[in-house]
Amino acid sequence: MKTGFGRFRPALLALALLTACFSAACSGGGTESSPPASATKAEQHGGVGGSGSKHGGKIKIGFSMDTLLEERWQKDRDLFKAAGEALGAEVVIMAANGDDAKQILQAEMMISQGVDILVIVPHDAGATAAIVKKAHSAGIKVMAYDRLVKNADIDLYVSFDNEKVGELQANAITSIVPRGKFVYIGGADTDNNAHLFKKGVFNVLQPLIDKGDVSVVYDQWTKDWTPVNALANMRSALSANGNKIDAVIAANDATAGGVVEALTEQGLAGRIPVAGQDAELAAAQRIVEGTQTMTVYKPIKLLADKAAELAVKLAKGESPGADRKVNNGKIEVPSVLLPPIAVDKNNIDETIIADGFHSREDVYKNAKK
Ligand code: GAL
């Protein structure tokens, strides 16, 4: 999908109004996307001194998020804000909740408000290229956070090794189910990560498919990553195969939740291995209850800290010293990719619980004694 700024010019009046709202600290850029009130003020006025902005004074980081509807992104918001503020920057956060036009409009607002650096979690990998152009023409560098922006001269990409995420999932599941009928419930087609996760899964499955040990009997994207769409996909997979499925790999824990719901409807939850990703609390609970086999833990604090540190460097015109390159269809983007960690019931205590990602009490809340 091509989304140019030109398409949104008629919205300039709205932009002016929203800009007024923005100055008055109504983060979220609109009524429906505001993050919780507790975070709102600080998101607009955070920071504890420090300097280094191109214009003198405190560095202002604009953080443009796709959504806050999933647990992980709420962690990203809070941790990124805290990390930026600890470095003496001001962090302005807006979330578009899956609306491309809104994400672009919000980014325009941040640019016109004079942020020194823009950090984007794109909803649509292609549509957000328009933001990069606009920021660059205002002399503002742009970092892609967690998700890559495609076909744009993005300055830096900070994420996890997303192909590795898929490999961890498929390794975990094939070590339990080395042959049989597999279902792949993908993420959102518009998210570059969904493609990387799937690539990683098939890096592991393809040799088994070629040997005739594994067949993938259902393989679909899940629009906007929602559990309800994953539930519908999984119902289709079950009915198309007369419930004869041996394993499911879901691209994240939200979609794994939909998968487990569909399996529960058929009395199959806990009998068919399911992989997810994100180490969300609900998934950790399903793991200890036995309805989800594994998840992939991505320590969000490391990502947020690294991204904030490099955002400040970029804003100061310093080199971020990124050691890897990822092709985004236009350029080789300097990248930092952190390692993900596979988690199942055997190592849940020493990973997500030991890190304080979730408390032991919360994770084992519903587990049978
Ligand atoms: C991906 C991200 C995952 C998951 C998903 C849905 O881009 O890497 O961790 O949260 O989006 O929001």
Side-chain angles (χ1 to χ4, degrees):
M1 172 191 164
K2 279 220 161 102
T3 314
F5 276 91
R7 240 182 87 194
F8 302 104
R9 287 290 176 207
L12 276 180
L13 180 61
L15 172 62
L17 291 170
L18 283 167
T19 304
C21 158
F22 177 88
S23 312
C26 37
S27 168
T31 43
E32 69 271 46
S33 63
S34 298
S38 63
T40 306
K41 266 222 155 88
E43 280 164 8
Q44 297 295 319
H45 299 295
V48 284
S51 64
S53 163
K54 285 183 302 235
H55 324 291
K58 195 184 280 187
I59 283 173
K60 194 164 173 178
I61 304 173
F63 192 31
S64 161
M65 304 186 74
D66 162 22
T67 179
L68 286 169
L69 294 179
E70 276 169 62
E71 179 185 299
R72 81 145 282 184
W73 298 115
Q74 294 170 14
K75 279 192 193 284
D76 288 272
R77 174 199 58 200
D78 296 344
L79 291 166
F80 184 79
K81 180 171 90 69
E85 289 177 5
L87 293 166
E90 178 181 358
V91 184
V92 178
I93 303 175
M94 307 195 96
N97 288 342
D99 180 335
D100 291 327
K102 189 172 190 173
Q103 185 163 30
I104 292 172
L105 190 63
Q106 289 177 336
E108 270 195 308
M109 287 167 56
M110 295 197 215
I111 291 164
S112 67
Q113 287 286 322
V115 295
D116 297 288
I117 168 90
L118 200 54
V119 178
I120 311 179
V121 184
H123 169 256
D124 184 300
T128 36
I131 295 176
V132 182
K133 265 197 173 164
K134 181 78 181 184
H136 279 176
S137 56
I140 298 166
K141 292 211 165 105
V142 186
M143 175 197 297
Y145 179 103
D146 193 76
R147 299 174 177 172
L148 189 59
V149 176
K150 299 285 298 281
N151 300 313
D153 294 310
I154 195 103
D155 298 286
L156 185 67
Y157 172 45
V158 181
S159 186
F160 290 91
D161 184 338
N162 294 303
E163 209 171 310
K164 179 89 183 160
V165 168
E167 290 173 356
L168 292 175
Q169 292 182 309
N171 280 330
I173 295 300
T174 54
S175 72
I176 303 166
V177 184
R179 52 188 67 85
K181 291 184 170 179
F182 279 51
V183 167
Y184 185 70
I185 302 293
D189 193 16
T190 48
D191 179 350
N192 186 59
N193 284 352
H195 294 264
L196 297 173
F197 300 144
K198 183 170 178 178
K199 184 164 189 291
V201 165
F202 280 82
N203 287 347
V204 175
L205 294 189
Q206 198 57 50
L208 303 172
I209 294 169
D210 294 344
K211 271 209 296 183
D213 287 352
V214 164
S215 58
V216 177
V217 295
Y218 187 91
D219 172 1
Q220 277 296 330
W221 301 115
T222 303
K223 190 178 182 310
D224 285 337
W225 293 94
T226 61
V228 64
N229 291 334
L231 169 66
N233 280 344
M234 192 61 209
R235 281 179 178 154
S236 305
L238 286 163
S239 73
N241 291 279
N243 282 1
K244 290 196 172 34
I245 280 162
D246 299 300
V248 185
I249 299 176
N252 74 347
D253 288 336
T255 49
V259 166
V260 171
E261 200 177 327
L263 292 175
T264 304
E265 290 171 350
Q266 301 301 318
L268 293 171
R271 293 169 52 197
I272 297 176
V274 176
Q277 172 220 176
D278 280 335
E280 287 203 343
L281 179 59
Q285 291 170 339
R286 288 193 294 267
I287 289 174
V288 299
E289 288 161 25
T291 55
Q292 184 169 326
T293 312
M294 65 89 67
T295 185
V296 179
Y297 170 43
K298 300 187 294 191
I300 304 294
K301 185 168 185 332
L302 297 183
L303 175 69
D305 286 353
K306 183 48 84 180
E309 176 201 327
L310 298 183
V312 167
K313 277 198 169 169
L314 279 181
K316 287 180 176 169
E318 294 170 10
S319 159
D323 54 344
R324 299 191 49 178
K325 295 263 188 274
V326 173
N327 190 291
N328 75 344
K330 186 170 192 199
I331 57 162
E332 295 288 325
V333 184
S335 303
V336 175
L337 301 181
L338 304 170
I341 301 159
V343 172
D344 62 15
K345 64 178 178 331
N346 299 313
N347 68 347
I348 202 162
D349 287 87
E350 66 248 31
T351 52
I352 58 180
I353 294 173
D355 268 15
F357 199 71
H358 300 301
S359 74
R360 190 165 206 290
E361 197 192 350
D362 284 347
V363 168
Y364 286 91
K365 201 163 74 191
N366 308 322
K368 289 201 186 77
K369 300 269 167 318

